[in-house]
Amino acid sequence: GIANEELTPLMAMQLGQAGAYVLTKEKEHKPTIMVGCDTRISGDMLANALMAGACSVGANCVYVGIMPTPAVAYLTQKYKVDAGVVISASHNGIKFFDGNGYKLPDKLEDEIEWLIRNHMPDVKFPTGTAVGKVKYRTDAREEYINHAIQSVAVALDGMKIVVDCAEGASYYT
């Protein structure tokens, strides 16, 4: 949806709360969620709202900043975090990944939606030291770049290659 119309900071916060709860409720440790966004000006606003929601239910967040969707999926699995989230116009809003970097099954997406529509019944909101924290990982994009380079088993020496990233999240990587 359009930022500040259908996709508001309140909706992002609720998605952070419900998503963190659904994706991590069966873990016996403090869960961690990786968050990235695209280059839209609303990306930071929505990412921070989402992370505030996740932290309010006791999850920690790792913010990797502007990152293409496949990078967040890869880094979610590489860093062994419990879930990943991308705020992306190309996915019409907010996309969740499980701890292996895969799209969530419809059943889990339905559970997240149900929690939001029903005002988070049974979701606990911890206080004090049980509240989650946000860690910023500006080095994560280098990890993804190295992975992408190693994934191409072809020598590109001497070639001239033009890439138009259309000011998208891949502009750096």
Side-chain angles (χ1 to χ4, degrees):
I2 297 171
N4 262 350
E5 286 186 19
E6 300 92 357
L7 187 54
T8 64
L10 176 60
M11 174 62 71
M13 184 190 73
Q14 291 170 332
L15 281 165
Q17 291 170 328
Y21 177 77
V22 167
L23 293 171
T24 63
K25 66 184 174 184
E26 296 176 25
K27 307 287 185 201
E28 294 184 13
H29 65 283
K30 191 172 193 103
T32 301
I33 298 173
M34 180 164 287
V35 180
C37 65
D38 65 14
T39 57
R40 289 181 302 163
I41 196 164
S42 58
D44 284 335
M45 172 185 74
L46 295 170
N48 281 291
L50 184 133
M51 291 187 296
C55 289
S56 77
V57 297
N60 289 324
C61 292
V62 177
Y63 186 52
V64 295
I66 295 172
M67 198 74 72
T69 299
V72 175
Y74 168 75
L75 293 167
T76 295
Q77 182 271 333
K78 178 178 177 43
Y79 289 129
K80 296 180 176 28
V81 296
D82 298 286
V85 179
V86 178
I87 297 157
S88 169
S90 63
H91 293 95
N92 288 328
I94 297 174
K95 180 176 181 122
F96 285 87
F97 298 104
D98 65 17
N100 295 314
Y102 292 106
K103 180 190 176 301
L104 297 184
D106 290 345
K107 181 180 175 185
L108 287 182
E109 288 180 349
D110 291 345
E111 188 176 350
I112 291 168
E113 183 178 344
W114 185 90
L115 280 170
I116 293 169
R117 290 187 187 279
N118 290 284
H119 309 289
M120 312 286 179
D122 303 322
V123 175
K124 306 258 187 291
F125 295 93
T127 59
T129 59
V131 171
K133 295 179 185 178
V134 177
K135 181 178 182 179
Y136 297 87
R137 292 287 308 255
T138 56
D139 62 325
R141 64 185 182 181
E142 299 300 329
E143 292 277 347
Y144 178 67
I145 291 169
N146 291 334
H147 167 71
I149 290 168
Q150 293 172 356
S151 296
V152 179
V154 175
L156 302 175
D157 300 351
M159 297 180 78
K160 291 182 181 181
I161 300 171
V162 176
V163 178
D164 179 3
C165 295
E167 299 179 39
S170 295
Y171 81 94
Y172 182 87
T173 57

